[in-house]
Amino acid sequence: MMYKKIIPAMFFIMAGILCSGSITWAHGVAYEMVETSPAVTFKSGFSTGDPIAYGEVLVYAPDNADVEFQNGRTDRNGVFSFLPDSPGIWKVEVDGGMGHKLIFDVEVAESAASELAAHKKENPLQASVSIRVLLGISLIFNLCLAASYLRARRKQRR
């Protein structure tokens, strides 16, 4: 009898924690191109909307993937710029700490005006949505499993 009241209450408490906890949603990272000519400028942030402030950035040139062309940190707004010196696909890594890492490519086209063409990911936060769904399903399953375990344990005592 008591479980019929406890399980729904636990479900609503956990749902409230998930909806209000920003740490739960901080697993997704994304970027957007701000400027692409002549410097490549991008803004990086978490799926919560918070910027990746002072995140470590490594930029790799198309002809040398072993040694970074440039390294540095984003500013407090998550913005970083670099000036490529050759055309090709440049690899950019942004480390936001605590396992939050963003890796993307920027294509620099060769033209007379040194215009840059940036390739954005179609939906960089799509993986974050699936992680949230799996986390919610896992939470509900684990709560039901814990309730069943407690119920069986109490029956065994009686």
Side-chain angles (χ1 to χ4, degrees):
M1 279 294 195
M2 189 171 163
Y3 293 109
K4 291 182 181 180
K5 294 179 182 178
I6 291 176
I7 291 175
M10 286 175 50
F11 174 75
F12 285 115
I13 290 170
M14 294 308 289
I17 290 171
L18 283 176
C19 291
S20 65
S22 62
I23 294 173
T24 306
W25 307 124
H27 291 302
V29 288
Y31 72 96
E32 71 175 296
M33 300 307 289
V34 177
E35 174 97 23
T36 58
S37 179
V40 174
T41 303
F42 62 89
K43 183 176 183 177
S44 57
F46 298 105
S47 58
T48 59
D50 297 329
I52 299 178
Y54 310 111
E56 183 181 352
V57 180
L58 302 174
V59 179
Y60 295 94
D63 57 351
N64 191 353
D66 297 328
V67 179
E68 66 264 8
F69 171 79
Q70 181 177 343
N71 59 31
R73 295 201 173 270
T74 61
D75 66 8
R76 70 179 182 162
N77 297 318
V79 178
F80 185 83
S81 294
F82 70 96
L83 187 61
D85 62 354
S86 63
I89 297 178
W90 291 71
K91 182 179 175 186
V92 179
E93 294 182 11
V94 181
D95 188 355
M98 301 283 289
H100 298 100
K101 195 167 194 177
L102 175 64
I103 300 173
F104 62 95
D105 295 331
V106 176
E107 183 178 343
V108 177
E110 185 173 5
S111 68
S114 297
E115 293 294 325
L116 304 176
H119 285 284
K120 293 184 182 180
K121 294 182 180 179
E122 289 181 20
N123 191 356
L125 296 179
Q126 188 172 7
S128 297
V129 173
S130 61
I131 289 172
R132 291 181 201 174
V133 170
L134 288 174
L135 179 65
I137 291 171
S138 173
L139 178 67
I140 292 169
F141 176 76
N142 286 321
L143 287 174
C144 291
L145 188 64
S148 296
Y149 172 75
L150 291 173
R151 182 187 215 177
R153 190 172 172 190
R154 286 192 181 171
K155 279 186 180 179
Q156 191 178 30
R157 286 184 186 175
R158 292 179 186 177

